[in-house]
C-alpha cells in the first residue's frame, strides 16, 4: 500500500516547516539580542565632526 517513496515524501513535507520554524527561532533570538556596545563611539565621532564643521564655518564667515 504505502511505498518507501511515499514515506520519504511525507517526511520531506514535514521537515520543511520544522526547518523553517527552527530558522525563525534562531533569527528571532538574534534580532532581539542585547547590544552592549551602545552608541558611544558613533556619537563621539559625530560630535567631533560637528565641532570641526562649526570651526570651518566660523573662519569662512568672517
Amino acid at each position: 500500500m504505502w511505498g518507501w517513496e511515499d514515506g520519504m515524501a511525507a517526511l520531506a513535507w514535514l521537515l520543511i516547516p520544522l526547518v523553517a520554524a527552527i530558522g525563525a527561532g534562531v533569527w528571532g533570538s538574534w534580532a532581539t539580542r542585547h547590544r552592549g556596545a551602545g552608541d558611544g563611539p558613533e556619537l563621539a565621532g559625530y560630535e567631533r565632526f560637528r565641532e570641526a564643521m562649526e570651526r570651518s564655518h566660523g573662519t569662512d564667515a568672517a
Side-chain angles (χ1 to χ4, degrees):
M1 184 172 188
W2 281 83
W4 184 79
E5 293 86 11
D6 294 330
M8 291 305 289
L11 181 62
W13 279 106
L14 290 174
L15 286 177
I16 292 171
L18 179 65
V19 170
I22 291 172
V26 168
W27 179 84
S29 65
W30 177 80
T32 59
R33 72 189 187 283
H34 178 20
R35 295 171 181 91
D39 291 334
E42 292 86 2
L43 290 177
Y46 176 70
E47 186 63 31
R48 288 192 306 271
F49 170 75
R50 254 185 22 155
E51 290 171 0
M53 291 304 289
E54 287 174 1
R55 283 194 303 265
S56 69
H57 285 295
T59 57
D60 290 342

